[in-house]
Amino acid sequence: MNVKLLKPILIALLFSAVTVHAESSPQVKQVAGYFLQPVGNLKVTALFDGELGLPRSDLLGISSVKANQLFEENFVPVDEHNQVVTDFSAYLVQTPTQNILVDAGTAKCFGPSLGHVPENLKKAGLQPEQIDTILITHAHPDHLCGITLDGKMVYPNAKVYLAKADVDYWTSAQNEAKASDFFKPLFKMTREALKPYQQAGQLIAFSKASFDVPNVELISTHGHTEGHSSYLIDGKNGQKFLGLGDVVHYAAVQFPYTEASYKPDTDAKRAIAVRKNIFEQAYQNHWWIGAAHVAFPGIGHIGKNVHGYQWIPAQYRPEQ
Ligand SMILES: [Zn+2]
């Protein structure tokens, strides 16, 4: 065969293969990452920050066989490293008088697949300057870093509330020196995120006794971190929204098996007890939930399952 002819044939074959592949798996650019849910007189907006794979090996207290079975049965997506694709969300909660942000996303702390809270907030119709209150569930970067970008406040008119236990722990040089390689970088991230708000007098490091935000009840959910906090926001007429934070990371496993824990939890035993307790309270009281790492929008209710609990996602409704 003429070798000169071979090259164009090969190129043609290659192109046809590429075309077939492109047709079988289309590139999808997702719609804007926000979702609206009224809760009593509250307007709640889930804001997508991004996604990241969590290692299966960080799930403790359950056999890997059982955990993998649950991931498969629930069709949980996996990434190219066979890690569990996990969503990261923040929640805008608008009361008649407040624009509250529960957590603020990651900014640049965890790489380019995250950091989309501000753009999704704008797409939802609000400017960062309009946020007056930020309730941070805990000092980990995927919840806190997003308040600051390149050393500047992203939300210049907001007061930032974070438990004093978390502020003290995650800004301490002594704790940083003792920390494992996994946790060490988090200290600098925490200091840098808090710095402009501290300097402007807009950081409120609260204790259980001093916490005071209108329409918001603090529920201490320590365990994942020293000061981990959930926030119950009152929508009146018995309607309440709970900004849950990191009480659950692997939804497919930890709703039915609350005893399964997440390796980076500061106090796994306490985190397990807290998970059981808050799931039961949410179930009994019919609270709406905003769960940072449950599949976007992570808004829904907690129900009972044959084993443990189950997540009941909100239903999309164009008008309510
Ligand atoms: Zn988190």
Side-chain angles (χ1 to χ4, degrees):
M1 193 181 189
N2 187 336
V3 181
K4 276 189 179 168
L5 273 176
L6 199 58
K7 200 176 167 190
I9 290 169
L10 280 174
I11 290 170
L13 278 172
L14 192 68
F15 260 97
S16 65
V18 167
T19 311
V20 168
H21 178 74
E23 277 173 9
S24 62
S25 56
Q27 283 289 302
V28 171
K29 180 94 176 78
Q30 187 55 274
V31 296
Y34 70 90
F35 179 93
L36 307 177
Q37 178 63 56
V39 175
N41 69 357
L42 308 173
K43 182 179 170 187
V44 178
T45 307
L47 301 167
F48 187 67
D49 193 54
E51 65 172 30
L52 206 62
L54 291 188
R56 291 165 194 259
S57 55
D58 278 359
L59 189 50
L60 309 174
I62 187 165
S63 79
S64 57
V65 172
K66 181 72 194 164
N68 288 335
Q69 183 196 336
L70 288 163
F71 289 132
E72 273 184 35
E73 283 174 0
N74 287 276
F75 299 94
V76 178
V78 294
D79 68 9
E80 66 274 26
H81 308 295
N82 197 28
Q83 297 190 329
V84 180
V85 175
T86 304
D87 287 346
F88 291 63
S89 304
Y91 296 91
L92 165 68
V93 184
Q94 295 175 275
T95 76
T97 53
Q98 300 148 289
N99 291 327
I100 301 171
L101 203 53
V102 179
D103 288 331
T106 312
K108 293 179 181 172
C109 285
F110 278 2
S113 66
L114 297 127
H116 301 293
V117 164
E119 79 191 52
N120 283 322
L121 178 73
K122 287 176 196 165
K123 284 175 182 166
L126 225 71
Q127 296 304 311
E129 293 76 18
Q130 292 175 272
I131 300 294
D132 49 64
T133 307
I134 302 179
L135 306 174
I136 300 291
T137 57
H138 62 296
H140 284 170
D142 52 317
H143 302 258
L144 178 65
C145 274
I147 62 173
T148 299
L149 191 64
D150 300 329
K152 293 208 175 72
M153 289 191 259
V154 175
Y155 304 97
N157 299 314
K159 283 183 181 165
V160 174
Y161 292 79
L162 176 60
K164 187 173 183 304
D166 264 23
V167 175
D168 290 349
Y169 185 90
W170 293 101
T171 57
S172 152
Q174 281 118 312
N175 291 337
E176 185 178 16
K178 285 187 292 186
S180 66
D181 288 349
F182 177 83
F183 282 120
K184 231 182 243 307
L186 273 58
F187 290 82
K188 186 166 178 269
M189 291 176 187
T190 305
R191 283 189 214 107
E192 286 181 356
L194 294 178
K195 195 175 171 188
Y197 296 88
Q198 267 169 329
Q199 286 175 339
Q202 288 170 232
L203 173 66
I204 296 165
F206 63 81
S207 65
K208 179 94 182 152
S210 72
F211 182 82
D212 184 17
V213 176
N215 302 311
V216 183
E217 182 188 333
L218 167 68
I219 300 185
S220 297
T221 40
H222 306 171
H224 180 55
T225 64
E226 296 68 15
H228 190 284
S229 304
S230 303
Y231 301 100
L232 188 62
I233 306 176
D234 192 357
K236 310 297 177 202
N237 297 321
Q239 296 278 302
K240 294 186 178 186
F241 173 81
L242 182 70
L244 187 63
D246 280 11
V247 170
V248 51
H249 291 83
Y250 302 85
V253 174
Q254 289 176 299
F255 278 107
Y257 294 88
T258 50
E259 68 274 23
S261 66
Y262 180 45
K263 197 174 167 190
D265 287 341
T266 299
D267 182 342
K269 217 172 153 187
R270 200 164 176 186
I272 291 167
V274 155
R275 187 160 39 253
K276 285 182 182 165
N277 183 275
I278 200 91
F279 282 2
E280 185 60 30
Q281 280 193 68
Y283 168 72
Q284 296 280 347
N285 293 302
H286 302 179
W287 291 336
W288 281 95
I289 306 291
H293 298 304
V294 168
F296 185 77
I299 294 180
H301 287 94
I302 293 175
K304 282 266 164 90
N305 198 358
V306 186
H307 193 287
Y309 298 86
Q310 65 174 329
W311 176 249
I312 303 169
Q315 184 168 328
Y316 173 93
R317 297 181 67 195
E319 278 183 53
Q320 289 179 69

